[in-house]
Amino acid sequence: MTHPTLHIHDTLTRDKRVFTPERADDVRMYVCGPTVYDKAHIGNARPIVVFDVMARLLRHIYGAEHITYVRNITDIDDKINARAHERGISIRELTDQTIDVFHGDVAVLNALPPDHEPRATDNVDSMIEMIQVLIDKGHAYAAEGHVLFNVLSMPEYGKLSRRKRDELIAGARVEVAPYKNDPADFVLWKPSDETKCEPGWKSPWGYGRPGWHIECSAMSKALLGETFDIHGGGLDLIFPHHENEIAQSRCAHDTGTMANYWMHNGYLMAEGEKMSKSLGNFYTINELLQEFPGEAIRLLLLKTHYRQPSDFTKEGLAEAKRELDGFYQALRQSSAADDSASSEPSKIIDALCDDLNTPKSISLLHEMLGQINRGDASAQHTLRANAAILGLLQQDPEEWFKWSPPSKSNDGLSDDDIEAKIIARNEARANKDFAASDVIRDELQAAGIILEDSAAGTIWRRG
């Protein structure tokens, strides 16, 4: 079977390469997921959406049954320990609650669940096994209850980030401890203090817990093998996290690579500056969903190419909502067309196969929208089929226009209230009581409800 040619910009080689999976019937991708100590912010949402589109594209090209997409959950972390202590709850209770909110938030962003979502706490045994292998092969050593990776044992360490040795030491932000053989050596295992309720497991090196980097090496190996096709994440993970993953995995398995392609999305700013609670521009996904529909957030994130920096603004989000209004209005007006028609998303596939070019894909959607607005009702099928690969425009238009911000749900009219007023208005019009009809229309308009009369009847949307 001939597949479309997919090109990916590989962070390791710094160039755009033709994607050739190890096996076309077993394409494997691993993406670093959230650390679940608090609600995910909009910066966390960017890789979720970007790699959801990548997974959709791979499933389209190779078939869903031939794709394995893994996105992990980090539920062992010092920030988790501190937050649980601060709230006076167990670590498991905190992480379970946070994961539930995370799942709800990303579902509203139209992100499909990964094929596997391993939790670090469920995979500690495999981490201990990998650490022992690294020790046995001379790539790690135990010292004072810690186990550290011996960076000097891997000549190619630093190849992904392309940093010089002094930069590696400075950039790692690691503790320069007396038990380290070298300042750049990083932690694979560290002791836990039971008196402080720190999570821990029994190991050959004492009661303790794994370091962050070993988690992904062990979980990717368990679910995808010693080598796999694509590893993704945010640009901030290149060093030290992904650099250290490569070192651990290659040295443990004696392989020349860990992942064959490395993909990293660019940084996300908010309102022109780095996100900060003190600046008032720190947005969690959950907070934004109280004001805007999830699909608008998704569209805004996809309007910038994934490798480029992105400035996320509420005005941009409002504009994305207006764009979607235009798309759904066109779909609503052409909804009477034959639903049996089908269309392959060939245009969008070509754009996405060029290193996931979502801005071009969205411009193509606007071209299809123009066809519908020029009277080609059948173009709605082309629009929907092409938008589906981006996770957009799959809602019923009527449901889209009935959406209202949850933050205002107790202030406005319910759907039933609106329908009742429309019935009353129609009765007034039938009785030629146009004054009463106008009063109802004005009441609805004041509540932000826009009515549209047509030969087929009255439809409404929230303005």
Side-chain angles (χ1 to χ4, degrees), residues 139 310 394:
H139 294 293
S310 177
Q394 301 308 294

Side-chain angles (χ1 to χ4, degrees), residues 8 36 44 81 102 123 145 238 262-263 289 294 307 327 359 385 459:
I8 294 175
V36 288
N44 303 136
N81 303 343
F102 171 75
N123 291 271
I238 293 176
W262 288 84
M263 296 180 67
L289 290 175
R307 288 194 295 110
F327 280 113
I459 58 177

Side-chain angles (χ1 to χ4, degrees), residues 204-417:
W205 320 288
Y207 182 77
R209 59 194 188 277
W212 174 32
H213 314 302
I214 196 68
E215 296 177 13
C216 289
S217 285
M219 289 188 285
S220 64
K221 190 264 183 181
L223 291 166
L224 301 177
E226 294 181 355
T227 64
F228 51 94
D229 297 302
I230 300 172
H231 196 317
L235 196 66
D236 57 313
L237 297 181
I238 293 176
F239 187 85
H241 187 50
H242 288 168
E243 193 77 74
N244 292 350
E245 277 189 59
I246 291 172
Q248 295 162 163
S249 296
R250 286 188 55 193
C251 290
H253 309 315
D254 296 320
T255 56
T257 187
M258 177 190 184
N260 296 318
Y261 299 82
W262 288 84
M263 296 180 67
H264 292 93
N265 63 270
Y267 291 112
L268 185 140
M269 307 287 281
E271 309 294 346
E273 299 185 79
K274 184 176 180 180
M275 277 199 301
S276 167
K277 291 181 179 178
S278 63
L279 293 174
N281 66 343
F282 186 90
Y283 303 136
T284 69
I285 304 171
N286 197 261
E287 289 168 342
L288 290 169
L289 290 175
Q290 304 308 305
E291 300 180 56
F292 299 93
E295 192 168 342
I297 298 174
R298 185 181 183 95
L299 175 60
L300 181 56
L301 291 172
L302 294 177
K303 288 173 72 172
T304 301
H305 190 275
Y306 81 93
R307 288 194 295 110
Q308 299 303 313
S310 177
D311 185 15
F312 187 93
T313 67
K314 283 197 172 183
E315 177 51 42
L317 195 48
E319 174 57 31
K321 167 65 166 60
R322 289 190 289 270
E323 280 187 56
L324 288 167
D325 285 346
F327 280 113
Y328 277 113
Q329 183 66 8
L331 291 173
R332 176 192 239 181
Q333 292 172 344
S334 62
S335 61
D338 180 11
D339 288 334
S340 64
S342 62
S343 178
E344 279 294 309
S346 56
K347 290 185 177 181
I348 296 293
I349 294 301
D350 289 344
L352 293 179
C353 279
D354 182 15
D355 194 31
L356 219 62
N357 192 337
T358 56
K360 182 176 180 180
S361 301
I362 292 167
S363 71
L364 290 170
L365 295 185
H366 279 281
E367 290 181 12
M368 298 169 206
L369 173 63
Q371 290 179 276
I372 296 174
N373 289 335
R374 288 191 294 272
D376 183 1
S378 65
Q380 71 159 305
H381 304 293
T382 303
L383 176 60
R384 278 194 182 274
N386 280 271
I389 204 77
L390 295 170
L392 297 171
L393 304 181
Q394 301 308 294
Q395 295 186 53
D396 183 319
E398 297 305 323
E399 293 303 315
W400 169 261
F401 286 116
K402 290 178 182 179
W403 180 88
S404 63
S407 57
K408 298 180 180 179
S409 60
N410 295 325
D411 302 332
L413 297 171
S414 69
D415 290 0
D416 289 343
D417 292 337

